[in-house]
Amino acid sequence: MIDLDLVRREPEKVKENLGRRQVPQYLELFATVQAADNQWRRLHQEGDRLRKRRNELSRALGEARKKGEDAKELSEEAQGLPDKLTEVERLERTSQETRDRTLMRVPNLLETSVPYGKDDRDNATVATWGEVPKPSFPLLSHGELAEKLGIADFDRARRASGAGFFYLEGALAQLDLALQRFALDLILAKGFRLVAPPLMLRRAPYEGVTDLSDFENVMYKIEGDDLYLIATAEHPLGALHLGDLLEEEDLPIRLTAATPCFRREIGGHGVDQKGVFRVHQFQKVEQFVFCRPEDSDRIHEELRANAEDIFQKLRVPYRVVNVCTGDIGTVAAKKYDIEAYFAKQGAYREVVSCSNCTDYQARRLGIRMGKRGKPGKVVPHTLNSTAVATSRAMAVILENYQNADGTVTVPEVLRPYMGGVERIAPPALRPKAETVATGDAS
RNA sequence: GCUGAGGUAGCCUAGCCCGGUAAGGCGCCGGCCUUGAAAGCCGGUGGGGCAACCCCUCGGGAGUUCAAAUCUCCCCCUCAGCGCCA
């Protein structure tokens, strides 16, 4: 939620910023907020006058009664007040609710360095790393390859849970865990604190960390309870400090978590034909930071560098894009995507999303900043970034690391997490050598 | 799920039975004192419309009343015990 004070003091600036997103509806929302706020202020003043009179009369009546005096005139005026006041207060509340509800739908203000544009074609590439591979044999898609290797079962997953789910088996299940352990070790070495958060959240905190429209489109709701399955660890990590007063000297607070993520993605892109690229459930290691406003730009770069570090160590070529004004989500003020190069697809695809949410989430969550127990007016900033989403990382590794003989080389940095194995081999080519993983118990 | 106890400002607590300006402590800020500090003493320290001044705030809502932290009803949440359970 953006600062209401800013809406009042610098409406033109806010309007200009919202306009950069090129969604006319946002300007309409903004106009609604302004109108409702003006109305509320008028009604609030009128209510104040009536409440003041009520207090005066109450006090006078109390006095008179104590002294045993006759206060018929006062009493008559007092009796007429509540009806008037009730009506004014009803209108007051209505306009306030309209204002606040609408304000919740107004997106975050964008940083000036966000490139202007309409959709993902206007995202600006700000960095590239690694050499794009030139395969010397026909590549398989990661889904086909995983099936041939006998390390994933999409058909049975569909039978059990529907499209968009998968069974990982043997070496691929191990690769999934290896990626998480590798990423966690790397992030923890940079001073983050490991958190195992709840995988379900109530609606109220959830409204603090996400776009309201996500509830219908993205979130899985638990029937019979006020609970939603998390779509990313970003959400419970943000909600960790719901309503808290953060000590300024404790900031920045750097958190990481490895959790499953659950996404319906209805009305969005849907689910890919076969594979793990776009699915309803996947594992992700996340970075999350609460910090002082003046530090968030620097820490945004830090989170991005951490994520880049992971893909460099995995030796996966990628590029970094600065997501443009028309493509960025409602919560972020600035967002980098890291897009890995997928050898079979011959294209860069998103594997990391790294956002500076400035004060937008923290204000919705009721988080404040203070010095030595004294609450201040300043709202801290929040940032989040993927470290690794294993579904996407597994897909790119399978595509890029496949060999002509049908095996897949295990990236070097992951081998310590997979018992030292170097290759994943299909059942037919599965030798007894202990350097080749099958994922079966040895 | 059942029973009980609770939810008061950044934190802790009183007030509730018996309706009439939300008291006190801690912490924090300022002042006095001091070579400096601590202690002690004095003052300040929730939010909103804001210029004054006023209004609001006791988990949320509804009701009774001229007037509700206080009385009535509904709901939410937390804790404890019991039950169930990996």
PDB file of all heavy atoms in Angstrom, chain B residues 48-59:
ATOM      1  P     G B  48      -1.455   9.845  12.405  1.00  0.00           P
ATOM      2  OP1   G B  48      -0.895   9.528  11.075  1.00  0.00           O
ATOM      3  OP2   G B  48      -0.764  10.811  13.294  1.00  0.00           O
ATOM      4  O5'   G B  48      -2.951  10.342  12.228  1.00  0.00           O
ATOM      5  C5'   G B  48      -3.858   9.607  11.402  1.00  0.00           C
ATOM      6  C4'   G B  48      -5.217  10.254  11.424  1.00  0.00           C
ATOM      7  O4'   G B  48      -5.717  10.306  12.787  1.00  0.00           O
ATOM      8  C3'   G B  48      -5.255  11.700  10.978  1.00  0.00           C
ATOM      9  O3'   G B  48      -5.288  11.809   9.572  1.00  0.00           O
ATOM     10  C2'   G B  48      -6.540  12.202  11.625  1.00  0.00           C
ATOM     11  O2'   G B  48      -7.670  11.758  10.916  1.00  0.00           O
ATOM     12  C1'   G B  48      -6.494  11.478  12.971  1.00  0.00           C
ATOM     13  N9    G B  48      -5.871  12.292  14.032  1.00  0.00           N
ATOM     14  C8    G B  48      -4.610  12.149  14.545  1.00  0.00           C
ATOM     15  N7    G B  48      -4.342  13.008  15.497  1.00  0.00           N
ATOM     16  C5    G B  48      -5.495  13.755  15.622  1.00  0.00           C
ATOM     17  C6    G B  48      -5.809  14.838  16.494  1.00  0.00           C
ATOM     18  O6    G B  48      -5.103  15.355  17.362  1.00  0.00           O
ATOM     19  N1    G B  48      -7.097  15.316  16.275  1.00  0.00           N
ATOM     20  C2    G B  48      -7.975  14.817  15.342  1.00  0.00           C
ATOM     21  N2    G B  48      -9.166  15.418  15.284  1.00  0.00           N
ATOM     22  N3    G B  48      -7.701  13.814  14.527  1.00  0.00           N
ATOM     23  C4    G B  48      -6.453  13.334  14.719  1.00  0.00           C
ATOM     24  P     G B  49      -4.651  13.086   8.881  1.00  0.00           P
ATOM     25  OP1   G B  49      -4.548  12.783   7.443  1.00  0.00           O
ATOM     26  OP2   G B  49      -3.443  13.482   9.634  1.00  0.00           O
ATOM     27  O5'   G B  49      -5.753  14.203   9.089  1.00  0.00           O
ATOM     28  C5'   G B  49      -6.972  14.140   8.362  1.00  0.00           C
ATOM     29  C4'   G B  49      -7.891  15.235   8.835  1.00  0.00           C
ATOM     30  O4'   G B  49      -8.182  15.044  10.235  1.00  0.00           O
ATOM     31  C3'   G B  49      -7.311  16.644   8.782  1.00  0.00           C
ATOM     32  O3'   G B  49      -7.395  17.206   7.493  1.00  0.00           O
ATOM     33  C2'   G B  49      -8.163  17.380   9.810  1.00  0.00           C
ATOM     34  O2'   G B  49      -9.425  17.701   9.282  1.00  0.00           O
ATOM     35  C1'   G B  49      -8.321  16.296  10.880  1.00  0.00           C
ATOM     36  N9    G B  49      -7.279  16.413  11.905  1.00  0.00           N
ATOM     37  C8    G B  49      -6.079  15.735  11.969  1.00  0.00           C
ATOM     38  N7    G B  49      -5.360  16.067  13.011  1.00  0.00           N
ATOM     39  C5    G B  49      -6.124  17.022  13.662  1.00  0.00           C
ATOM     40  C6    G B  49      -5.869  17.754  14.856  1.00  0.00           C
ATOM     41  O6    G B  49      -4.882  17.707  15.595  1.00  0.00           O
ATOM     42  N1    G B  49      -6.913  18.632  15.159  1.00  0.00           N
ATOM     43  C2    G B  49      -8.054  18.775  14.419  1.00  0.00           C
ATOM     44  N2    G B  49      -8.944  19.662  14.862  1.00  0.00           N
ATOM     45  N3    G B  49      -8.312  18.101  13.306  1.00  0.00           N
ATOM     46  C4    G B  49      -7.307  17.249  12.996  1.00  0.00           C
ATOM     47  P     C B  50      -6.285  18.212   7.019  1.00  0.00           P
ATOM     48  OP1   C B  50      -6.875  19.035   5.962  1.00  0.00           O
ATOM     49  OP2   C B  50      -5.052  17.437   6.773  1.00  0.00           O
ATOM     50  O5'   C B  50      -6.059  19.147   8.292  1.00  0.00           O
ATOM     51  C5'   C B  50      -4.896  19.943   8.391  1.00  0.00           C
ATOM     52  C4'   C B  50      -4.918  20.686   9.693  1.00  0.00           C
ATOM     53  O4'   C B  50      -5.214  19.760  10.772  1.00  0.00           O
ATOM     54  C3'   C B  50      -3.604  21.321  10.123  1.00  0.00           C
ATOM     55  O3'   C B  50      -3.375  22.566   9.508  1.00  0.00           O
ATOM     56  C2'   C B  50      -3.778  21.439  11.613  1.00  0.00           C
ATOM     57  O2'   C B  50      -4.657  22.477  11.968  1.00  0.00           O
ATOM     58  C1'   C B  50      -4.452  20.102  11.912  1.00  0.00           C
ATOM     59  N1    C B  50      -3.430  19.029  12.120  1.00  0.00           N
ATOM     60  C2    C B  50      -2.731  18.988  13.343  1.00  0.00           C
ATOM     61  O2    C B  50      -2.987  19.845  14.202  1.00  0.00           O
ATOM     62  N3    C B  50      -1.810  18.040  13.532  1.00  0.00           N
ATOM     63  C4    C B  50      -1.556  17.141  12.571  1.00  0.00           C
ATOM     64  N4    C B  50      -0.632  16.223  12.806  1.00  0.00           N
ATOM     65  C5    C B  50      -2.240  17.159  11.329  1.00  0.00           C
ATOM     66  C6    C B  50      -3.156  18.111  11.144  1.00  0.00           C
ATOM     67  P     A B  51      -1.908  23.146   9.600  1.00  0.00           P
ATOM     68  OP1   A B  51      -1.923  24.459   8.902  1.00  0.00           O
ATOM     69  OP2   A B  51      -0.983  22.096   9.166  1.00  0.00           O
ATOM     70  O5'   A B  51      -1.689  23.376  11.151  1.00  0.00           O
ATOM     71  C5'   A B  51      -0.617  24.171  11.646  1.00  0.00           C
ATOM     72  C4'   A B  51      -1.126  25.367  12.416  1.00  0.00           C
ATOM     73  O4'   A B  51      -2.052  26.083  11.564  1.00  0.00           O
ATOM     74  C3'   A B  51      -1.947  25.050  13.669  1.00  0.00           C
ATOM     75  O3'   A B  51      -1.110  24.849  14.797  1.00  0.00           O
ATOM     76  C2'   A B  51      -2.810  26.295  13.812  1.00  0.00           C
ATOM     77  O2'   A B  51      -2.101  27.340  14.441  1.00  0.00           O
ATOM     78  C1'   A B  51      -3.065  26.675  12.345  1.00  0.00           C
ATOM     79  N9    A B  51      -4.374  26.206  11.883  1.00  0.00           N
ATOM     80  C8    A B  51      -4.647  25.136  11.078  1.00  0.00           C
ATOM     81  N7    A B  51      -5.928  24.981  10.809  1.00  0.00           N
ATOM     82  C5    A B  51      -6.522  26.028  11.492  1.00  0.00           C
ATOM     83  C6    A B  51      -7.869  26.430  11.617  1.00  0.00           C
ATOM     84  N6    A B  51      -8.890  25.787  11.037  1.00  0.00           N
ATOM     85  N1    A B  51      -8.124  27.522  12.377  1.00  0.00           N
ATOM     86  C2    A B  51      -7.106  28.148  12.957  1.00  0.00           C
ATOM     87  N3    A B  51      -5.799  27.874  12.916  1.00  0.00           N
ATOM     88  C4    A B  51      -5.576  26.793  12.156  1.00  0.00           C
ATOM     89  P     A B  52      -1.623  24.051  16.113  1.00  0.00           P
ATOM     90  OP1   A B  52      -0.519  24.017  17.080  1.00  0.00           O
ATOM     91  OP2   A B  52      -2.227  22.789  15.649  1.00  0.00           O
ATOM     92  O5'   A B  52      -2.765  25.004  16.694  1.00  0.00           O
ATOM     93  C5'   A B  52      -2.460  26.067  17.599  1.00  0.00           C
ATOM     94  C4'   A B  52      -3.661  26.959  17.774  1.00  0.00           C
ATOM     95  O4'   A B  52      -4.306  27.110  16.488  1.00  0.00           O
ATOM     96  C3'   A B  52      -4.733  26.437  18.715  1.00  0.00           C
ATOM     97  O3'   A B  52      -4.532  26.903  20.038  1.00  0.00           O
ATOM     98  C2'   A B  52      -6.029  26.988  18.130  1.00  0.00           C
ATOM     99  O2'   A B  52      -6.313  28.283  18.623  1.00  0.00           O
ATOM    100  C1'   A B  52      -5.706  27.080  16.633  1.00  0.00           C
ATOM    101  N9    A B  52      -6.233  25.957  15.844  1.00  0.00           N
ATOM    102  C8    A B  52      -5.557  24.866  15.374  1.00  0.00           C
ATOM    103  N7    A B  52      -6.289  24.035  14.679  1.00  0.00           N
ATOM    104  C5    A B  52      -7.539  24.624  14.700  1.00  0.00           C
ATOM    105  C6    A B  52      -8.772  24.226  14.138  1.00  0.00           C
ATOM    106  N6    A B  52      -8.937  23.116  13.430  1.00  0.00           N
ATOM    107  N1    A B  52      -9.833  25.018  14.330  1.00  0.00           N
ATOM    108  C2    A B  52      -9.662  26.145  15.050  1.00  0.00           C
ATOM    109  N3    A B  52      -8.558  26.627  15.630  1.00  0.00           N
ATOM    110  C4    A B  52      -7.528  25.806  15.406  1.00  0.00           C
ATOM    111  P     C B  53      -4.630  25.914  21.314  1.00  0.00           P
ATOM    112  OP1   C B  53      -4.743  26.767  22.510  1.00  0.00           O
ATOM    113  OP2   C B  53      -3.496  24.967  21.186  1.00  0.00           O
ATOM    114  O5'   C B  53      -5.980  25.099  21.138  1.00  0.00           O
ATOM    115  C5'   C B  53      -7.225  25.569  21.654  1.00  0.00           C
ATOM    116  C4'   C B  53      -8.345  25.062  20.788  1.00  0.00           C
ATOM    117  O4'   C B  53      -7.853  24.945  19.421  1.00  0.00           O
ATOM    118  C3'   C B  53      -8.841  23.658  21.106  1.00  0.00           C
ATOM    119  O3'   C B  53      -9.765  23.619  22.178  1.00  0.00           O
ATOM    120  C2'   C B  53      -9.455  23.256  19.777  1.00  0.00           C
ATOM    121  O2'   C B  53     -10.690  23.913  19.547  1.00  0.00           O
ATOM    122  C1'   C B  53      -8.418  23.806  18.794  1.00  0.00           C
ATOM    123  N1    C B  53      -7.344  22.817  18.526  1.00  0.00           N
ATOM    124  C2    C B  53      -7.577  21.846  17.544  1.00  0.00           C
ATOM    125  O2    C B  53      -8.664  21.842  16.941  1.00  0.00           O
ATOM    126  N3    C B  53      -6.612  20.933  17.283  1.00  0.00           N
ATOM    127  C4    C B  53      -5.459  20.962  17.959  1.00  0.00           C
ATOM    128  N4    C B  53      -4.547  20.041  17.663  1.00  0.00           N
ATOM    129  C5    C B  53      -5.198  21.939  18.951  1.00  0.00           C
ATOM    130  C6    C B  53      -6.165  22.847  19.214  1.00  0.00           C
ATOM    131  P     C B  54      -9.856  22.261  23.074  1.00  0.00           P
ATOM    132  OP1   C B  54     -10.766  22.534  24.200  1.00  0.00           O
ATOM    133  OP2   C B  54      -8.489  21.763  23.311  1.00  0.00           O
ATOM    134  O5'   C B  54     -10.560  21.230  22.086  1.00  0.00           O
ATOM    135  C5'   C B  54     -11.883  21.456  21.615  1.00  0.00           C
ATOM    136  C4'   C B  54     -12.157  20.608  20.397  1.00  0.00           C
ATOM    137  O4'   C B  54     -11.061  20.721  19.449  1.00  0.00           O
ATOM    138  C3'   C B  54     -12.251  19.109  20.630  1.00  0.00           C
ATOM    139  O3'   C B  54     -13.504  18.727  21.163  1.00  0.00           O
ATOM    140  C2'   C B  54     -12.032  18.578  19.212  1.00  0.00           C
ATOM    141  O2'   C B  54     -13.188  18.768  18.426  1.00  0.00           O
ATOM    142  C1'   C B  54     -10.943  19.520  18.702  1.00  0.00           C
ATOM    143  N1    C B  54      -9.585  18.961  18.900  1.00  0.00           N
ATOM    144  C2    C B  54      -9.124  17.998  17.987  1.00  0.00           C
ATOM    145  O2    C B  54      -9.869  17.657  17.055  1.00  0.00           O
ATOM    146  N3    C B  54      -7.888  17.469  18.141  1.00  0.00           N
ATOM    147  C4    C B  54      -7.114  17.862  19.154  1.00  0.00           C
ATOM    148  N4    C B  54      -5.902  17.320  19.263  1.00  0.00           N
ATOM    149  C5    C B  54      -7.557  18.834  20.104  1.00  0.00           C
ATOM    150  C6    C B  54      -8.782  19.352  19.947  1.00  0.00           C
ATOM    151  P     C B  55     -13.593  17.352  22.011  1.00  0.00           P
ATOM    152  OP1   C B  55     -14.960  17.300  22.571  1.00  0.00           O
ATOM    153  OP2   C B  55     -12.428  17.223  22.893  1.00  0.00           O
ATOM    154  O5'   C B  55     -13.472  16.252  20.876  1.00  0.00           O
ATOM    155  C5'   C B  55     -14.467  16.139  19.865  1.00  0.00           C
ATOM    156  C4'   C B  55     -14.020  15.165  18.811  1.00  0.00           C
ATOM    157  O4'   C B  55     -12.760  15.596  18.233  1.00  0.00           O
ATOM    158  C3'   C B  55     -13.709  13.765  19.312  1.00  0.00           C
ATOM    159  O3'   C B  55     -14.876  12.998  19.515  1.00  0.00           O
ATOM    160  C2'   C B  55     -12.827  13.227  18.183  1.00  0.00           C
ATOM    161  O2'   C B  55     -13.612  12.898  17.056  1.00  0.00           O
ATOM    162  C1'   C B  55     -11.991  14.460  17.858  1.00  0.00           C
ATOM    163  N1    C B  55     -10.712  14.474  18.600  1.00  0.00           N
ATOM    164  C2    C B  55      -9.664  13.670  18.117  1.00  0.00           C
ATOM    165  O2    C B  55      -9.852  12.976  17.115  1.00  0.00           O
ATOM    166  N3    C B  55      -8.482  13.671  18.772  1.00  0.00           N
ATOM    167  C4    C B  55      -8.320  14.436  19.861  1.00  0.00           C
ATOM    168  N4    C B  55      -7.137  14.413  20.471  1.00  0.00           N
ATOM    169  C5    C B  55      -9.364  15.257  20.365  1.00  0.00           C
ATOM    170  C6    C B  55     -10.535  15.249  19.717  1.00  0.00           C
ATOM    171  P     C B  56     -14.854  11.847  20.661  1.00  0.00           P
ATOM    172  OP1   C B  56     -16.233  11.341  20.776  1.00  0.00           O
ATOM    173  OP2   C B  56     -14.154  12.358  21.851  1.00  0.00           O
ATOM    174  O5'   C B  56     -13.956  10.719  20.003  1.00  0.00           O
ATOM    175  C5'   C B  56     -14.363  10.071  18.806  1.00  0.00           C
ATOM    176  C4'   C B  56     -13.228   9.290  18.211  1.00  0.00           C
ATOM    177  O4'   C B  56     -12.076  10.146  18.026  1.00  0.00           O
ATOM    178  C3'   C B  56     -12.694   8.153  19.070  1.00  0.00           C
ATOM    179  O3'   C B  56     -13.500   6.998  18.984  1.00  0.00           O
ATOM    180  C2'   C B  56     -11.308   7.939  18.477  1.00  0.00           C
ATOM    181  O2'   C B  56     -11.380   7.240  17.251  1.00  0.00           O
ATOM    182  C1'   C B  56     -10.891   9.387  18.189  1.00  0.00           C
ATOM    183  N1    C B  56     -10.090   9.961  19.279  1.00  0.00           N
ATOM    184  C2    C B  56      -8.756   9.570  19.413  1.00  0.00           C
ATOM    185  O2    C B  56      -8.304   8.731  18.617  1.00  0.00           O
ATOM    186  N3    C B  56      -8.004  10.102  20.400  1.00  0.00           N
ATOM    187  C4    C B  56      -8.537  10.999  21.233  1.00  0.00           C
ATOM    188  N4    C B  56      -7.757  11.501  22.195  1.00  0.00           N
ATOM    189  C5    C B  56      -9.893  11.421  21.131  1.00  0.00           C
ATOM    190  C6    C B  56     -10.632  10.886  20.148  1.00  0.00           C
ATOM    191  P     U B  57     -13.615   6.052  20.283  1.00  0.00           P
ATOM    192  OP1   U B  57     -14.585   5.003  19.927  1.00  0.00           O
ATOM    193  OP2   U B  57     -13.825   6.886  21.488  1.00  0.00           O
ATOM    194  O5'   U B  57     -12.176   5.389  20.381  1.00  0.00           O
ATOM    195  C5'   U B  57     -11.684   4.605  19.314  1.00  0.00           C
ATOM    196  C4'   U B  57     -10.258   4.217  19.579  1.00  0.00           C
ATOM    197  O4'   U B  57      -9.448   5.400  19.717  1.00  0.00           O
ATOM    198  C3'   U B  57     -10.034   3.463  20.877  1.00  0.00           C
ATOM    199  O3'   U B  57     -10.355   2.094  20.729  1.00  0.00           O
ATOM    200  C2'   U B  57      -8.543   3.697  21.116  1.00  0.00           C
ATOM    201  O2'   U B  57      -7.756   2.813  20.358  1.00  0.00           O
ATOM    202  C1'   U B  57      -8.356   5.126  20.587  1.00  0.00           C
ATOM    203  N1    U B  57      -8.317   6.126  21.658  1.00  0.00           N
ATOM    204  C2    U B  57      -7.118   6.276  22.334  1.00  0.00           C
ATOM    205  O2    U B  57      -6.144   5.611  22.079  1.00  0.00           O
ATOM    206  N3    U B  57      -7.121   7.225  23.324  1.00  0.00           N
ATOM    207  C4    U B  57      -8.176   8.023  23.703  1.00  0.00           C
ATOM    208  O4    U B  57      -8.033   8.833  24.612  1.00  0.00           O
ATOM    209  C5    U B  57      -9.376   7.818  22.949  1.00  0.00           C
ATOM    210  C6    U B  57      -9.410   6.902  21.975  1.00  0.00           C
ATOM    211  P     C B  58     -11.386   1.419  21.741  1.00  0.00           P
ATOM    212  OP1   C B  58     -12.097   0.358  21.013  1.00  0.00           O
ATOM    213  OP2   C B  58     -12.160   2.468  22.444  1.00  0.00           O
ATOM    214  O5'   C B  58     -10.415   0.745  22.789  1.00  0.00           O
ATOM    215  C5'   C B  58      -9.195   0.142  22.377  1.00  0.00           C
ATOM    216  C4'   C B  58      -8.674  -0.725  23.493  1.00  0.00           C
ATOM    217  O4'   C B  58      -8.374   0.132  24.632  1.00  0.00           O
ATOM    218  C3'   C B  58      -9.664  -1.766  23.992  1.00  0.00           C
ATOM    219  O3'   C B  58      -8.951  -2.933  24.383  1.00  0.00           O
ATOM    220  C2'   C B  58     -10.305  -1.100  25.194  1.00  0.00           C
ATOM    221  O2'   C B  58     -10.760  -2.018  26.162  1.00  0.00           O
ATOM    222  C1'   C B  58      -9.126  -0.281  25.751  1.00  0.00           C
ATOM    223  N1    C B  58      -9.569   0.918  26.471  1.00  0.00           N
ATOM    224  C2    C B  58      -9.420   0.967  27.864  1.00  0.00           C
ATOM    225  O2    C B  58      -8.920   0.010  28.452  1.00  0.00           O
ATOM    226  N3    C B  58      -9.833   2.061  28.522  1.00  0.00           N
ATOM    227  C4    C B  58     -10.373   3.091  27.843  1.00  0.00           C
ATOM    228  N4    C B  58     -10.764   4.151  28.545  1.00  0.00           N
ATOM    229  C5    C B  58     -10.539   3.047  26.430  1.00  0.00           C
ATOM    230  C6    C B  58     -10.123   1.954  25.791  1.00  0.00           C
ATOM    231  P     G B  59      -9.642  -4.337  24.306  1.00  0.00           P
ATOM    232  OP1   G B  59     -11.093  -4.237  24.605  1.00  0.00           O
ATOM    233  OP2   G B  59      -8.756  -5.148  25.139  1.00  0.00           O
ATOM    234  O5'   G B  59      -9.476  -4.806  22.791  1.00  0.00           O
ATOM    235  C5'   G B  59      -8.227  -4.664  22.118  1.00  0.00           C
ATOM    236  C4'   G B  59      -8.295  -5.363  20.792  1.00  0.00           C
ATOM    237  O4'   G B  59      -8.330  -6.799  21.020  1.00  0.00           O
ATOM    238  C3'   G B  59      -9.555  -5.076  19.980  1.00  0.00           C
ATOM    239  O3'   G B  59      -9.447  -3.877  19.244  1.00  0.00           O
ATOM    240  C2'   G B  59      -9.656  -6.312  19.105  1.00  0.00           C
ATOM    241  O2'   G B  59      -8.724  -6.248  18.042  1.00  0.00           O
ATOM    242  C1'   G B  59      -9.210  -7.400  20.083  1.00  0.00           C
ATOM    243  N9    G B  59     -10.326  -7.978  20.827  1.00  0.00           N
ATOM    244  C8    G B  59     -10.499  -7.973  22.187  1.00  0.00           C
ATOM    245  N7    G B  59     -11.593  -8.565  22.570  1.00  0.00           N
ATOM    246  C5    G B  59     -12.180  -9.007  21.382  1.00  0.00           C
ATOM    247  C6    G B  59     -13.383  -9.722  21.162  1.00  0.00           C
ATOM    248  O6    G B  59     -14.204 -10.138  21.991  1.00  0.00           O
ATOM    249  N1    G B  59     -13.601  -9.963  19.810  1.00  0.00           N
ATOM    250  C2    G B  59     -12.765  -9.553  18.800  1.00  0.00           C
ATOM    251  N2    G B  59     -13.141  -9.865  17.560  1.00  0.00           N
ATOM    252  N3    G B  59     -11.632  -8.888  18.986  1.00  0.00           N
ATOM    253  C4    G B  59     -11.407  -8.649  20.297  1.00  0.00           C
TER     254        G B  59
END
